[in-house]
Amino acid sequence: ASPEQRTDMRQAYRDGIAWGEAKQQTFELINEELLPARERYEALMAEPARIEETLKEGAEKARAWASPFLGRIRKAVGIRGLG
C-alpha cells in the first residue's frame, strides 16, 4: 500500500471501520496488485504447448550442465557410474 493508503486505513481504524470492510479494502488492494500477474498467468496457461516446449528446453539445459557436474562429483567421492 502507498503511504497515503496506509494513512487512510489508519484513519479508518480510528473512525471505527468494521472488520468486514477492512478485509474487503485489503482484498481489493491485493487483488489490484495481483491483476497484472494473474493476466500473464492466464495468457500463459492458454498455451499448454508453449509451456511444454519451455519445460523441455529447460530440462535439456539443466541436463547439459548437471550431467558433467554429477560425473565429477561421483568421481570425487568414488561412486562408479550406473551404466
Side-chain angles (χ1 to χ4, degrees):
S2 71
E4 181 181 337
Q5 290 168 317
R6 291 192 301 267
T7 299
D8 290 347
M9 184 57 82
R10 283 187 196 101
Q11 185 59 49
Y13 277 116
R14 284 192 288 274
D15 293 342
I17 190 172
W19 280 106
E21 178 61 24
K23 289 181 352 183
Q24 182 63 35
Q25 288 183 21
T26 302
F27 166 77
E28 289 171 6
L29 176 68
I30 292 170
N31 193 47
E32 185 178 317
E33 290 291 320
L34 293 176
L35 185 61
R38 186 178 301 116
E39 288 172 346
R40 287 192 307 270
Y41 173 79
E42 289 172 356
L44 180 62
M45 296 311 291
E47 300 181 59
R50 182 175 170 208
I51 295 170
E52 186 66 27
E53 184 60 33
T54 301
L55 290 172
K56 286 179 182 179
E57 289 173 7
E60 289 173 17
K61 287 181 184 179
R63 201 172 295 110
W65 181 85
S67 293
F69 182 66
L70 288 173
R72 292 194 306 271
I73 291 173
R74 284 188 182 110
K75 184 176 179 181
V77 296
I79 299 174
R80 292 182 296 172
L82 299 175

